[in-house]
Amino acid sequence: MSTDPAEPVIEINALGKSFGRVHALRGVDLEIRRGEFFGFFGPNGAGKTTLLRILTGQIEPGTGEASVLGIDLPDGAVEVRSRVGVVPEFESPPSFLTGDEYLRFVLRARGITDGSGRVDHWIDFFELGEHRHTLCKDMSKGMRQKIMLGAAFIHEPDLLFLDEPFINLDPLFQLKIQNYLREYIANGGTIFMCSHLLEIAERLCSRLAIIDEGELRGVGTLAELRTEEEDGLAEVFMRIVGRQVSNPEKEAPPTPVVEGG
Amino acid sequence: MSLLWLLKAMFREEFRLQSSYSSRMSTTAFPALLAVMAFIVAVSLPLLEDEMGRDRILLAVHSALLLYGLAVGAFSFLGREMMERRWGHATFLLASPQTLPISFKYTFFVFFLKDLLYYVFMTLLPLTIGLLASIPFTGFAVSSVVMLFFTMTATFLYAISFSFLMSSVYMRSQAAFVALAVSVIGLVVVSGMLQLFDLGLIVPSIAFQFSGDWWALAASVSASLVFSAWAVLLVEDQMESPVVQVVSHYDEVAARFSRFGKYQPYLAKEWIDLMRSHTLTKLITAFVLPLVVLTAFDWFLGTTVSSEIQFSTIFYGGMVGFFGVLIYSWLNNIDYVEYYSTFPVQVPDIVKSKLIMFVILTSGISTTFLVVMTGIKGEWSRLPVSLVVMFSTSIYMVVVTAYLTGLRTNVYLFDTRILSRFAILSIIPLMAITFLAMAEEALGWRMLVAMAVVCMVLATVSRLLLMRIDKKWRHETFTV
């Protein structure tokens, strides 16, 4: 794993993407350097997952250019995916493989044939020993998420793309994953993460971007983005996306009606 | 939730699902394409009628509808699968009872009704309109076309209801399913061998078609209602699945596919999927069933309809090849493939691994079936030619299907543009092989030469399309 901090691992120029009449991304410019823990935030439907899917070669950009680890997209999509780890938006490992088998499948698909030690390591890490022979379709959402995380980490990639990695995990495992990701960065890895969990992201991310309606509204460190009056990422986020949570005193929600109450 | 509201909502859901894969225009144009195809077939029918006779053609239509109904009616399987696997991130109204105060029996009943109406309006009605439009050219009587619509609907209803019932029985008890299936098949086979009663008693709508006896129609509809009501009653309102623990053996399975290079990991996964999802059993059934119906059809024609033409094993070789499309379709229907978007592979790699699995599966099943048929008919001298025809058509049809539909066969075949290409690419060789097989006595050695030419053309086209799969599907995503 190269550790040159000046080396850009993700370069995006004037990237745009539309789905029919919906503009998911509009002229996005971004550069992420090696060793960064980069957080990507925005409201629902802002374009976060679309960007992550373009950068991992899952979909093609509409306009502009993108490269990952020096590989141009979309032509180098397979090569990019062979060198990065991806945790997708939905925790959906194959229904009829066990967790143990899925990790072995991932290793073989990545050309690693002797991976028993790695499989055991990640099964132990996620405390899935009791469930390693359970079919993925019969696992809880949390277990499936652990399997997807294990599948992204198991080949020790240079770069991780994480879409809501903490979703469905209990607080203990959220903490365990945070510690692992810190260690991963310390060892020279790079992370691109989308998340709505701003408190966790604030503790982890070295730099961040906020996107809304397909446009980047701000990029920088938290210190660079926040004003003197703002305490944390949540307030920065609210200001930048220009929306406020409705005031419950001003806008009272409808009174719930309990039948027979 | 009123029945009408839920029915309309399910119709919208079905239409939007189809439109999400192709275009709204293609989905809307699908019935129009069927009408045009029915028109073309009707106009060219006199040629076929001379060769086969009207009774045979009508029987073929009903046999096809029986198969169609049996194939699409397994709602109880599909419902459970939809809920267990979530089909990627799409969810369906069928799963509403998980969060709303309605029962699964109710939603399954409405789902059954929706599918029945959807198929009648999207396929049977357009086919009838095509036949009606051909009247100035064919001279069909309006009353006979209308009669055909009702008998087709009755046959389809009968098959779809029976399939629904069988799938509900399966979900309750696999032993009961096997017992019922064996009983029904046994009844058909024994009655066929002993000539106890004719096909019209097993499928009353066929009797109605030929005799015009309204009691036969009433019997068909009544039986369908009993099947569907029974199926609904058997639907479980608690969709709980046991947590299944198995012996993990991926590496051992992968070792068996070591000769397949970069496809090895995916073939091992496919094989495990086939076994654990019981798709191999369903798949063999789905593959063998049409052939059993075809055999029954052959038997029925041989015993009850006077005809000089019998189906030879060469004809069966062609048919076995064409039915192979079902296997490819099932291979694409086992599980969603969204997780592949994180793998260093592209859609063509997975398409090709499914093609390899298809060859592995069909080589055994098809060859066995053809050898058995050859034995039954005592036509050992025709076996080598039959095998060549079977493998040529199998490979050709599956490559055409893979080229046109990629990993979404069931969905893309409802796209008008794709269906029309599929129809052209499959009907022409199908007709050529059928004609040559039936004209064997008349043509003699020239039939063999012509068949060899057809097989070579199929092999050449297969190779060309196989090479173009990469280009066509390279930019396709795994996500829905």
Side-chain angles (χ1 to χ4, degrees):
Chain A
M1 203 183 281
S2 165
T3 52
D4 180 1
E7 185 189 349
V9 290
I10 300 175
E11 291 175 282
I12 301 167
N13 295 310
L15 195 70
K17 177 73 181 176
S18 298
F19 298 101
R21 278 178 284 180
V22 177
H23 298 291
L25 294 173
R26 303 162 195 254
V28 173
D29 293 301
L30 201 57
E31 187 177 283
I32 296 164
R33 290 178 290 276
R34 190 170 292 281
E36 283 194 298
F37 195 132
F38 193 86
F40 199 57
F41 309 101
N44 294 331
K48 304 183 296 294
T49 298
T50 299
L51 181 61
L52 187 140
R53 289 173 68 194
I54 289 174
L55 294 176
T56 52
Q58 298 179 44
I59 55 174
E60 298 187 359
T63 55
E65 295 167 351
S67 71
V68 171
L69 299 168
I71 304 158
D72 290 334
L73 289 165
D75 293 343
V78 172
E79 195 184 344
V80 166
R81 287 204 295 271
S82 72
R83 291 182 56 189
V84 306
V86 186
V87 176
E89 190 181 10
F90 295 95
E91 78 302 329
S92 51
S95 302
F96 297 105
L97 295 189
T98 64
D100 176 287
E101 287 173 336
Y102 182 53
L103 295 180
R104 289 173 196 275
F105 173 42
V106 168
L107 284 173
R108 278 192 185 263
R110 294 183 174 283
I112 303 166
T113 49
D114 184 21
S116 290
R118 296 187 197 215
V119 173
D120 292 341
H121 169 79
W122 287 106
I123 292 282
D124 290 345
F125 179 90
F126 286 111
E127 298 174 19
L128 285 169
E130 204 182 319
H131 301 282
R132 74 186 294 163
H133 302 304
T134 300
L135 296 186
C136 290
K137 75 180 179 69
D138 295 328
M139 288 180 169
S140 69
K141 284 185 176 184
M143 285 183 214
R144 288 204 292 256
Q145 180 69 0
K146 289 175 183 176
I147 292 294
M148 294 307 283
L149 285 162
F153 301 157
I154 199 163
H155 59 294
E156 298 169 2
D158 288 343
L159 171 61
L160 283 172
F161 287 94
L162 311 174
D163 199 346
E164 294 293 357
F166 305 107
I167 199 157
N168 297 320
L169 297 180
D170 65 51
L172 292 173
F173 267 96
Q174 288 189 12
L175 198 60
K176 195 168 182 178
I177 297 298
Q178 287 175 51
N179 290 336
Y180 170 76
L181 295 179
R182 281 197 190 95
E183 200 180 318
Y184 173 80
I185 292 288
N187 289 328
T190 310
I191 295 174
F192 180 98
M193 180 179 77
C194 301
S195 179
H196 290 298
L197 298 176
L198 300 182
E199 282 181 24
I200 294 178
E202 188 175 328
R203 287 199 293 273
L204 292 172
C205 296
S206 54
R207 211 156 63 93
L208 52 99
I210 295 175
I211 188 171
D212 190 21
E213 295 176 343
E215 287 182 31
L216 279 188
R217 306 283 194 207
V219 183
T221 62
L222 183 58
E224 287 167 349
L225 289 175
R226 79 178 179 194
T227 62
E228 284 183 7
E229 297 80 43
E230 289 167 341
D231 281 335
L233 180 55
E235 288 177 46
V236 173
F237 181 88
M238 295 299 178
R239 172 175 55 81
I240 288 181
V241 301
R243 293 174 207 168
Q244 294 292 322
V245 177
S246 58
N247 185 337
E249 289 175 6
K250 287 181 183 173
E251 295 175 33
T255 311
V257 177
V258 181
E259 280 183 32
Chain B
M1 200 180 287
S2 81
L3 188 144
L4 199 60
W5 186 90
L6 187 56
L7 191 62
K8 278 163 67 179
M10 281 185 172
F11 264 113
R12 273 200 297 272
E13 181 182 65
E14 182 74 40
F15 185 73
R16 284 173 186 164
L17 183 70
Q18 300 294 342
S19 305
S20 70
Y21 291 111
S22 48
S23 66
R24 187 171 284 256
M25 182 65 193
S26 274
T27 308
T28 316
F30 177 78
L33 178 74
L34 283 183
V36 171
M37 284 166 64
F39 173 83
I40 294 169
V41 171
V43 169
S44 55
L45 213 53
L47 294 172
L48 203 61
E49 206 173 341
D50 289 344
E51 205 61 45
M52 287 182 74
R54 183 169 290 199
D55 286 353
R56 272 172 176 258
I57 294 169
L58 286 171
L59 260 179
V61 169
H62 283 281
S63 300
L65 282 168
L66 264 180
L67 291 175
Y68 190 36
L70 289 173
V72 299
F75 301 107
S76 298
F77 287 138
L78 298 173
R80 172 69 66 95
E81 283 170 5
M82 276 182 187
M83 272 166 271
E84 281 186 354
R85 292 178 225 161
R86 292 195 310 133
W87 282 35
H89 56 260
T91 52
F92 295 87
L93 285 167
L94 191 63
S96 304
Q98 288 179 331
T99 52
L100 295 175
I102 50 176
S103 71
F104 276 115
K105 282 186 174 61
Y106 181 64
T107 50
F108 268 75
F109 169 67
V110 182
F111 193 81
F112 167 72
L113 211 56
K114 180 268 297 178
D115 255 25
L116 178 65
L117 293 172
Y118 193 85
Y119 285 116
V120 169
F121 284 105
M122 292 293 277
T123 55
L124 300 185
L125 194 61
L127 289 174
T128 308
I129 290 169
L131 292 178
L132 285 171
S134 74
I135 285 175
F137 306 94
T138 56
F140 291 152
V142 175
S143 58
S144 70
V145 175
V146 172
M147 167 86 163
L148 182 62
F149 172 71
F150 284 117
T151 57
M152 285 195 307
T153 305
T155 298
F156 181 71
L157 174 65
Y158 187 79
I160 201 173
S161 308
F162 184 71
S163 183
F164 184 20
L165 172 63
M166 290 301 280
S167 67
S168 290
V169 170
Y170 182 88
M171 296 314 291
R172 284 277 178 163
S173 161
Q174 293 187 16
F177 171 82
V178 171
L180 196 57
V182 168
S183 306
V184 171
I185 292 171
L187 180 72
V188 173
V189 170
V190 171
S191 65
M193 288 170 71
L194 303 178
Q195 297 187 24
L196 295 177
F197 42 82
D198 69 32
L199 201 61
L201 270 178
I202 301 168
V203 188
S205 53
I206 292 182
F208 177 61
Q209 175 74 64
F210 290 109
S211 68
D213 181 356
W214 289 91
W215 285 108
L217 179 66
S220 180
V221 174
S222 303
S224 305
L225 291 176
V226 169
F227 292 156
S228 46
W230 192 7
V232 169
L233 287 174
L234 285 175
V235 169
E236 289 175 280
D237 269 321
Q238 300 294 322
M239 284 272 178
E240 284 180 23
S241 301
V243 172
V244 178
Q245 288 249 351
V246 295
V247 178
S248 297
H249 62 158
Y250 177 81
D251 282 344
E252 289 81 355
V253 176
R256 284 186 232 153
F257 292 98
S258 58
R259 75 189 68 169
F260 292 99
K262 71 171 184 175
Y263 301 109
Q264 178 195 18
Y266 310 105
L267 288 170
K269 190 233 166 228
E270 289 285 334
W271 186 257
I272 293 174
D273 277 355
L274 279 167
M275 294 300 168
R276 298 228 176 107
S277 64
H278 306 295
T279 303
L280 191 59
T281 315
K282 295 180 210 166
L283 202 147
I284 291 172
T285 310
F287 185 59
V288 170
L289 191 66
L291 299 170
V292 170
V293 171
L294 196 66
T295 312
F297 178 52
D298 190 20
W299 154 71
F300 182 75
L301 289 173
T303 55
T304 59
V305 178
S306 61
S307 170
E308 291 169 2
I309 303 163
Q310 289 298 308
F311 296 139
S312 70
T313 48
I314 297 176
F315 171 80
Y316 275 105
M319 287 302 114
V320 171
F322 282 96
F323 286 134
V325 173
L326 290 172
I327 292 189
Y328 183 75
S329 172
W330 275 95
L331 286 175
N332 279 330
N333 212 22
I334 299 176
D335 201 5
Y336 55 84
V337 291
E338 204 166 79
Y339 51 85
Y340 277 132
S341 61
T342 66
F343 280 58
V345 284
Q346 290 180 307
V347 168
D349 299 317
I350 305 303
V351 169
K352 285 179 185 172
S353 64
K354 286 183 190 287
L355 288 177
I356 295 170
M357 185 54 74
F358 169 87
V359 172
I360 292 169
L361 289 172
T362 53
S363 299
I365 301 170
S366 307
T367 308
T368 306
F369 179 83
L370 206 56
V371 169
V372 170
M373 283 304 298
T374 306
I376 291 171
K377 295 173 96 54
E379 297 178 352
W380 292 107
S381 61
R382 290 192 174 109
L383 184 60
V385 180
S386 307
L387 285 171
V388 171
V389 171
M390 181 193 81
F391 280 110
S392 306
T393 49
S394 284
I395 301 291
Y396 170 79
M397 281 308 297
V398 77
V399 170
V400 165
T401 312
Y403 176 77
L404 290 175
T405 66
L407 297 175
R408 293 177 187 153
T409 306
N410 286 351
V411 174
Y412 281 144
L413 281 182
F414 282 89
D415 181 301
T416 315
R417 282 171 304 176
I418 293 171
L419 180 67
S420 50
R421 285 176 208 156
F422 180 81
I424 292 166
L425 286 168
S426 55
I427 287 174
I428 293 170
L430 176 67
M431 288 178 75
I433 287 171
T434 305
F435 173 78
L436 289 173
M438 287 187 168
E440 188 184 355
E441 281 187 22
L443 295 175
W445 63 270
R446 284 168 296 178
M447 185 281 285
L448 289 177
V449 174
M451 195 65 97
V453 171
V454 171
C455 290
M456 276 192 282
V457 170
L458 294 185
T460 308
V461 176
S462 304
R463 182 162 172 71
L464 284 173
L465 291 180
L466 191 61
M467 288 192 301
R468 296 186 64 144
I469 281 177
D470 277 312
K471 191 178 174 192
K472 181 168 169 68
W473 293 104
R474 195 169 54 216
H475 301 290
E476 178 76 356
T477 65
F478 288 106
T479 48
V480 178

